[in-house]
Amino acid sequence: MAHNPWQRRGRGQARGSVAVRPPQRALDRHRLRHLLDAVGAVSTDMDTRTVLHRIVEAATDLVAARYGALGVLSESGKVTDLITAGIDDPHLCAAMGLPQGHGLLHTMVDDREPLRVADVATHPRSAGFPPGHPVMQTLMGVPLMVRGTVYGDLYVADKLDGTPFDDDDEGLLTALASAAGVSLENARLYEHLKGAAEHFQRRMLPVLPDLSPLTAAARYEPASELPRLGGDWYDAMALSDAATCVVVGDVTGHNVEAAPLMGQIRNMLRALAFDRGEPPGQVMSRLDRALTMFDDPPTATLVLGRIEHSEGGEYTFRWSNAGHLPPLLVGADGSTRYLAPARHGIPVGIDASVSRFSHDHPLPPGSTLLLFTDGLVERRDQDIDTGLDDLAEQAARLATAPLEELCDTLISRSRQVFDDDVALLALRTPSDGPER
């Protein structure tokens, strides 16, 4: 059986076996405090699944019940999920399956009223228990409703002291269900908002064109918590002089303005890079001047580069860095090097008079160039140099892996929760041997 916190608090027993009933006013204060604690417990998270578990746990604790469950309903009223408390064996829950939408448990949903049953077995709508299900004698349930919409049914069974559920228990559970319904609705709205924000962000990022003979892959992952709209982006395009333009950047801020500003800067940079075929540092300077048209110029860190292919077959990466993390070059032999020359610039949008620098480095056959934003390597609990070292170590092991596999592995290499959004762009030069 699941341990119930009520067992730790005691039940007001005097010495011996005679229960001492506390004064009514003290009892009412205790119940109110207990209810407030339960409401607080279900209101501290925005993850829907976590909220559901907390509702059930709070309900069983609130009325000192041995068992509790919450049936999650679809819009059509069908039970789509069942969260339980008091049954420790997850295999048993899986084997019992979901309630079928008929019988005693669905009565409260049909009637939209609280239900209290002193003897489950003798109730006219009782359908019995499935094999392996604990036999329960008493039951109390309430629908979870917000503005007329039923989100589920919350019910508890068998009080720990063996007494039937009373009016006070029903009042407490009804009050909890009212607050829990709001928390559940908020959690669902939060999930919808996260999904809409991510969809909006992804629609603003480009589909990589064919950059042959280079191969390329890119990934974007939003931050795990709201605000999910961020300013990270990647881009790549073939220029009119046969060079390939690549960029990864991060607009300052994480709010509803960051993503549209990212789109504006990305489009401006595309036009400037395509216009004259200038060195990256000059293109960056022109972007600085263009951003002065804003009353409050946006700022961003970014790496802008050109991958050039000579007649002799050699590839060269020419780039300019505006306060961004350095690109990582991974050789086909697993060697790694961050391209971090001493002279790099400040973020764009701060001071258009500041000089910009261009750098160049050869790209050997079969080498992989990684451009990324800080969400890939930053952790709240570690120095960023540790994250950069970890990235280089992992990338070295994937030096010859297909780019899609490399990107997927780097994105998920340490966790599925991102403190910041992540943009990753990988490009690979042709090898001397067969193409991978």
Side-chain angles (χ1 to χ4, degrees), residues 27-38:
L27 184 63
D28 290 343
R29 284 200 301 266
H30 171 76
R31 286 172 174 163
L32 177 60
R33 179 71 263 171
H34 205 180
L35 175 61
L36 293 175
D37 289 344

Side-chain angles (χ1 to χ4, degrees), residues 95-112:
M96 289 187 298
L98 298 176
Q100 298 302 307
H102 57 77
L104 185 58
L105 295 182
H106 214 67
T107 300
M108 70 191 79
V109 177
D110 294 338
D111 298 342
R112 299 193 171 196

Side-chain angles (χ1 to χ4, degrees), residues 158-389:
D158 292 356
K159 294 184 70 171
L160 293 174
D161 62 4
T163 61
F165 295 105
D166 57 23
D167 290 343
D168 289 336
D169 294 324
E170 183 179 315
L172 289 171
L173 194 64
T174 301
L176 174 64
S178 178
V182 174
S183 295
L184 180 56
E185 184 184 50
N186 288 342
R188 287 185 171 181
L189 289 174
Y190 178 82
E191 294 294 333
H192 289 319
L193 180 57
K194 287 200 298 183
E198 180 178 344
H199 178 72
F200 175 74
Q201 182 86 359
R202 291 187 186 279
R203 288 293 298 270
M204 296 187 69
L205 294 171
V207 176
L208 293 182
D210 183 2
L211 301 174
S212 299
L214 298 172
T215 55
R219 293 291 185 275
Y220 173 79
E221 286 295 330
S224 298
E225 302 297 332
L226 286 178
R228 288 167 73 87
L229 284 177
D232 290 21
W233 87 95
Y234 60 81
D235 203 358
M237 61 178 176
L239 300 176
S240 57
D241 61 359
T244 297
C245 177
V246 295
V247 60
V248 161
D250 182 1
V251 173
T252 303
H254 296 87
N255 51 44
V256 293
E257 296 181 355
L261 287 173
M262 174 270 287
Q264 290 178 303
I265 293 177
R266 182 174 71 87
N267 290 335
M268 293 169 66
L269 195 54
R270 272 189 157 227
L272 294 171
F274 196 84
D275 183 29
R276 302 178 188 176
E278 296 172 324
Q282 289 181 240
V283 176
M284 200 88 81
S285 292
R286 293 173 64 202
L287 176 62
D288 267 323
R289 292 193 294 273
L291 290 176
T292 61
M293 73 173 68
F294 291 88
D295 292 332
D296 184 15
T299 60
T301 67
L302 63 99
V303 171
L304 170 69
R306 288 168 52 93
I307 299 177
E308 302 173 355
H309 189 201
S310 70
E311 293 183 359
E314 293 84 11
Y315 285 87
T316 301
F317 178 53
R318 305 187 190 280
W319 79 99
S320 184
N321 189 325
H324 200 78
L325 292 174
L328 174 63
L329 180 61
V330 184
D333 60 356
S335 60
T336 60
R337 176 175 181 174
Y338 282 103
L339 304 181
R343 301 175 71 193
H344 67 272
I346 62 175
V348 296
I350 295 179
D351 186 350
S353 67
V354 172
S355 299
R356 296 292 178 184
F357 310 102
S358 295
H359 317 280
D360 60 82
H361 195 281
L363 299 179
S367 60
T368 303
L369 182 67
L370 297 176
L371 293 88
F372 52 92
T373 56
D374 53 10
L376 186 63
V377 293
E378 278 191 335
R379 306 289 183 273
R380 293 175 182 173
D381 57 349
Q382 72 178 27
D383 186 83
I384 192 171
D385 288 338
T386 301
L388 290 169
D389 291 342

Side-chain angles (χ1 to χ4, degrees), residues 66-85:
R66 189 176 303 279
Y67 305 107
L70 192 159
V72 182
L73 303 181
S74 66
E75 293 183 2
S76 64
K78 182 179 179 181
V79 179
T80 59
D81 198 2
L82 185 68
I83 314 298
T84 65

Side-chain angles (χ1 to χ4, degrees), residues 129-153:
F129 298 102
H133 193 290
V135 176
M136 301 173 181
Q137 181 177 358
T138 61
L139 180 138
M140 180 174 64
V142 294
L144 286 178
M145 292 196 306
V146 178
R147 290 186 287 275
T149 299
V150 181
Y151 284 97
D153 49 356

